[in-house]
Amino acid sequence: MASELCKTISEAKLERHKNLFLNYRNLHHFPLELLKDEGLQYLERLYMKRNSLTTLPENLAQKLPNLVELYLHSNNIVVVPEAIGSLVKLQFLDLSDNALEIVCPEIGRLRSLRHLRLANNQLKYLPAEPPVWIVEVGDLRELQTLDISTNRLITLPERLHMCLSLQYLTADRNHLWYVPRHLCQLPSLNELSMAGNRLAFLPLDLGRSRELQYVYVDNNIHLKGLPSYLYNKVIGCSGCGSPIQVSEVKLLSFSSGQLTVFLPAEVKSIGTETDHVLPLQELAMRTLYNTYYRFLKDLNFLTPISLPKSLLELLHCPLGHCHRCSQPMFTIVYPKLFPLRETPMAGLHQG
């Protein structure tokens, strides 16, 4: 294995390769062959995914000065050396699926960086005192993609709104309890995903920007409402309809003629903070739709006497479907194709 590795690196040096693939090599240390003599001056893309690296060499930028993309996905890296800030041409850095607990301040010096992936690490916070990254992140003016999902973050960087090129921000599955209002100022942001956090509210002007078209806030069990600007966007919302274990306890139900419809088990959990609870009206609409449409294939069985006209119309044409589980949604999601003012539920969000 060692001889094969040496041969691969020697060929890359001799033939002045721009791409070097060292994935799945069971590497525990950064190969010394990469750092010998003048290094690989022509190398632009280095792939070292799925190894067992724990750190990076201090002279990385000196030996690989023209590196544009660095892929370190799925290693055991705990600390990124300060020297990484000297990779002035770096545009893509993937450190996802490692063991990072902090982000070194020098990442903020990567002025050419366009894509930064830090998902699936152990980040509890991003440092908040000068001159650390949280202050310098605003200098990443070329940054387009930031993925910090599946960490332990409580807050987002205060100067994130200075990343004027940012288009995709993914912060799913953290411990975030609010969306900083300054994110609404990002002029290029097209997609914001903060599913699986602890959000209790959203900024009232979130979605005001025409550029922001996709907002995913699924599975934030404390989230009670949505800003009006989001009603003509494509959104995901709390409680997407994924299957939930049904207990042995008898379910609540209501009857219409000879048909008895059992409500989902979530209805018994209303008022708790541990379950994903949808509005009762939404649960009832989904249950009616599934019962009549799936089994009877005929919604004309219902009449305005059994259901208000606005809800009856809505049953025939759901406002949309969950982007994750494809369940129909009636009262809490307003996809881009169905602006709020054109639906039978217009105005209900104000109540």
Side-chain angles (χ1 to χ4, degrees), residues 42-55:
Y42 295 90
L43 193 67
E44 295 183 0
R45 298 171 187 85
L46 177 58
Y47 298 81
M48 300 188 73
K49 299 179 181 180
R50 304 276 179 189
N51 284 289
S52 300
L53 300 175
T54 57
T55 187

Side-chain angles (χ1 to χ4, degrees), residues 50 92 146 220 251 253:
R50 304 276 179 189
F92 194 113
L146 176 59
N220 283 276
L251 301 179
S253 64

Side-chain angles (χ1 to χ4, degrees), residues 154-265:
I154 298 176
T155 60
L156 294 177
E158 289 298 324
R159 292 188 62 195
L160 195 56
H161 67 283
M162 299 297 291
C163 299
L164 301 181
S165 300
L166 191 62
Q167 299 176 26
Y168 307 98
L169 173 58
T170 305
D172 299 339
R173 297 177 296 280
N174 277 280
H175 299 159
L176 301 169
W177 59 277
Y178 73 100
V179 178
R181 187 176 180 184
H182 59 248
L183 289 186
C184 304
Q185 303 171 19
L186 287 168
S188 303
L189 190 63
N190 178 260
E191 181 175 313
L192 173 64
S193 187
M194 298 184 70
N197 279 280
R198 300 174 179 177
L199 302 179
F201 62 92
L202 298 174
L204 293 179
D205 46 354
L206 182 64
R208 188 170 187 175
S209 168
R210 292 185 177 181
E211 294 298 322
L212 185 60
Q213 290 296 320
Y214 304 90
V215 178
Y216 302 117
V217 287
D218 308 71
N219 299 324
N220 283 276
I221 63 176
H222 304 293
L223 192 59
K224 303 302 181 184
L226 300 173
S228 58
Y229 288 111
L230 290 183
Y231 289 145
N232 63 345
K233 310 286 183 177
V234 176
I235 69 171
C237 196
S238 176
C240 68
S242 298
I244 295 179
Q245 290 282 40
V246 179
S247 66
E248 297 294 330
V249 181
K250 183 178 179 180
L251 301 179
L252 298 179
S253 64
F254 67 90
S255 299
S256 176
Q258 297 180 346
L259 184 65
T260 299
V261 178
F262 290 94
L263 297 180

Side-chain angles (χ1 to χ4, degrees), residues 20 58 82 137 180 236 277 309 313 332:
L20 181 58
E58 292 288 345
E82 298 177 359
V137 69
V277 180
K309 182 179 179 181
E313 293 176 356
I332 61 173

Side-chain angles (χ1 to χ4, degrees), residues 25-44:
R25 298 285 184 135
N26 196 30
L27 299 174
H28 292 267
H29 306 284
F30 204 87
L32 293 176
E33 291 78 7
L34 278 175
L35 308 174
K36 285 182 178 179
D37 303 323
E38 63 178 10
L40 277 75
Q41 299 290 316
Y42 295 90
L43 193 67
E44 295 183 0

